[in-house]
Amino acid sequence: MNKTVSRTDSGASVARRRLLDTATRLFYTEGIRAVGIDRIIAEAGVAKATFYNHFPSKDDLVLAYINEQDRIGRDAVSALPEQQPAEMIAAVMERISEAVVAGGWRGCPFLNAAAEYPDPKSPVRQAIDARRAWYHGVLRDLLQADGDPTPSVTASLLVALSDGLLEAAYLDDPAAVPALVREALKRLLVRP
């Protein structure tokens, strides 16, 4: 859920890194379909042949962008300190608050990309679906450990809530999101 932060990949070339960083910035701020390869190449300061050596097509670059955003999010969840399941769920959900109030929020990069890649057979869409399945699984496993009677259902509710909060932060006031996250968790994690 981290918007456009990229990380250094020690095995990648400098040119590949510049291409991916440039694409990440442009895709996130302007939209994937709105940004052409020639613009990415120009702003990254690489030759067209260099682009194609690293990414055979624009869709390959988009897939690299989505996969990197996924890795960043997974790493952030993995880096959370060990806590009781309910506190871990809260910590995972609070990442939404952190992302949207940091500034420059333009919606969830995965939801934005999914809107531009509606074909479920597209590798980009499959990567987004895999990300969503992972996120659901993390929440489901934590809910199960917390004694939720229907962890899969509650996880689905939390994923839907996450989607709504991520987009509401773009469309409405992002400063309202932290309070909404806390209130939603109070209501959804109540045990009889």
Side-chain angles (χ1 to χ4, degrees), residues 12-78:
S13 75
V14 173
R16 184 183 191 285
R17 182 76 260 156
R18 279 199 323 261
L19 284 162
L20 190 52
D21 287 346
T22 301
T24 295
R25 176 178 50 81
L26 293 172
F27 290 163
Y28 186 73
T29 58
E30 298 181 27
I32 294 168
R33 301 278 186 215
V35 177
I37 290 174
D38 289 338
R39 180 167 174 208
I40 294 166
I41 290 167
E43 290 196 25
V46 301
K48 192 173 269 197
T50 301
F51 174 87
Y52 286 109
N53 282 338
H54 293 289
F55 304 103
S57 71
K58 182 178 177 183
D59 281 352
D60 291 311
L61 176 60
V62 174
L63 185 58
Y65 159 66
I66 291 299
N67 285 334
E68 181 169 71
Q69 295 307 300
D70 182 28
R71 278 192 309 276
I72 291 166
R74 289 179 192 230
D75 289 350
V77 169
S78 294

Side-chain angles (χ1 to χ4, degrees), residues 1-3 28 65 100 105-114 128 131-132 162-163 166-167 170:
M1 281 176 268
N2 194 341
K3 55 182 179 171
Y28 186 73
Y65 159 66
V100 303
W105 185 251
R106 204 187 85 55
C108 172
F110 303 105
L111 296 176
N112 292 348
I128 294 165
R131 160 61 179 211
R132 293 177 66 77
S162 298
D163 291 346
L166 291 165
E167 295 312 307
Y170 175 56

